[in-house]
């Protein structure tokens, strides 16, 4: 398992390559990347992500450990950035390796669902109209119900 | 008991500081919230709607009725928006 909380950008290609390398018993690698998206009908100048140093790492380790207990996984990777970002920048990625694809896909979805509402990150959007904290969506909370 | 109280996102903005130390005899998170609410208007505002807030004790998510027994750090923040 590798968990990284960082302000620096990461190289999605290299991270995916490194993660996939060296496994001969894993038939499936799933990777997901989250990207800063422009706001519909408005222009997003930048996004700032705040986090809770210390708790963030613990929460991510807990979420990844629970995924490892639930599914047959060879490895898990979570990278999540904080700080200043612009549209098109990559915010985060998860990768899962499993002998079979069902486990790899489901575990990646589980990681994403829990990262959304159980990891202490808060997004703030800067547009021409001003600054706003992104509200948590009820469907993100509801998504946890399926697990 | 001496506690580190941390605030994040708009809770931090409304209260006007990221962190403070507090000597308190509050038994639960709710008692602590009541104590903070009576301090100043900005606290009363930040804690006006608890359904819009989450709380962590020693970096673990918990509930407002949780006991503070042995706690060192309590953090208040809005629902998280990671991913």
């Amino acid at each position: 398992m590798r968990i990284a909380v960082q302000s620096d950008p990461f190289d999605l290609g290299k991270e995916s390559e490194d993660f996939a390398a060296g496994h001969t018993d894993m038939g499936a690698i799933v990777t997901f990347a989250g990207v800063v998206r422009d706001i519909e009908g408005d222009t997003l100048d930048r996004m700032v992500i705040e986090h809770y140093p210390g708790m963030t790492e613990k929460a991510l380790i807990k979420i990844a450990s629970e995924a490892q207990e639930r599914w047959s996984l060879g490895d898990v990777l979570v990278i999540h950035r904080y700080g200043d970002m612009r549209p098109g920048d990559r915010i985060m990625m998860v990768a899962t390796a499993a002998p079979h694809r069902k486990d790899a896909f489901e575990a990646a979805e589980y990681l994403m669902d829990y990262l959304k509402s159980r990891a202490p990150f808060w997004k703030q959007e800067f547009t021409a109209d001003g600054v706003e904290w992104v509200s948590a969506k009820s469907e993100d909370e509801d998504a946890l119900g399926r697990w | 008991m001496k506690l580190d109280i941390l605030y994040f996102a708009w809770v931090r903005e409304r209260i006007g500081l990221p962190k403070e130390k507090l000597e308190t005899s509050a038994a639960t998170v709710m008692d602590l919230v009541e104590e903070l609410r009576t301090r100043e208007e900005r606290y009363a505002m930040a804690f006006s709607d608890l359904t819009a807030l989450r709380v962590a004790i020693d970096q673990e998510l918990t509930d407002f009725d949780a006991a503070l027994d042995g706690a060192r750090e309590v953090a208040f923040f809005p629902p998280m928006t990671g991913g």
Side-chain angles (χ1 to χ4, degrees), chain B:
Chain B
M1 146 182 67
K2 206 167 198 114
L3 286 179
D4 282 324
I5 317 278
L6 281 71
Y7 309 108
F8 291 95
W10 60 254
V11 185
R12 170 178 55 73
E13 290 179 340
R14 272 185 210 178
I15 290 173
L17 54 136
K19 188 176 179 174
E20 61 185 319
K21 283 195 187 295
L22 185 74
E23 182 65 45
T24 180
S25 55
T28 65
V29 174
M30 203 55 226
D31 293 343
L32 176 65
V33 168
E34 291 298 345
E35 188 181 325
L36 290 168
R37 272 174 173 162
T38 58
R39 283 175 119 191
E40 277 177 58
E41 183 56 28
R42 58 197 167 111
Y43 288 93
M45 268 186 55
F47 289 104
S48 61
D49 177 12
L50 294 189
T51 63
L53 290 180
R54 299 291 179 268
V55 59
I57 296 178
D58 293 333
Q59 307 189 346
E60 290 266 354
L61 267 185
T62 186
D63 301 314
F64 282 86
D65 54 9
L68 288 175
D69 203 23
R72 294 182 312 275
E73 187 173 295
V74 179
F76 295 102
F77 41 79
M80 295 155 272
T81 51

Side-chain angles (χ1 to χ4, degrees), chain A residues 34-116:
Chain A
V35 181
V36 179
R37 180 167 39 97
D38 223 341
I39 305 168
E40 247 173 89
D42 204 341
T43 304
L44 182 71
D45 293 329
R46 62 194 184 103
M47 172 182 275
V48 175
I49 299 181
E50 180 172 329
H51 80 117
Y52 182 171
M55 179 172 167
T56 310
E57 292 78 0
K58 282 185 199 168
L60 296 181
I61 290 168
K62 188 177 170 201
I63 293 166
S65 302
E66 280 166 2
Q68 282 184 317
E69 272 174 39
R70 250 179 118 130
W71 289 277
S72 168
L73 299 175
D75 203 359
V76 178
L77 167 70
V78 179
I79 302 175
H80 204 303
R81 294 178 62 201
Y82 58 88
D84 249 339
M85 272 158 260
R86 285 172 202 286
D89 285 356
R90 290 181 192 118
I91 304 173
M92 52 82 60
M93 73 172 288
V94 300
T96 52
H100 304 288
R101 72 171 188 273
K102 190 165 181 287
D103 285 324
F105 272 122
E106 282 185 10
E109 282 209 75
Y110 174 91
L111 289 170
M112 284 313 305
D113 281 350
Y114 273 84
L115 278 170
K116 278 257 169 215

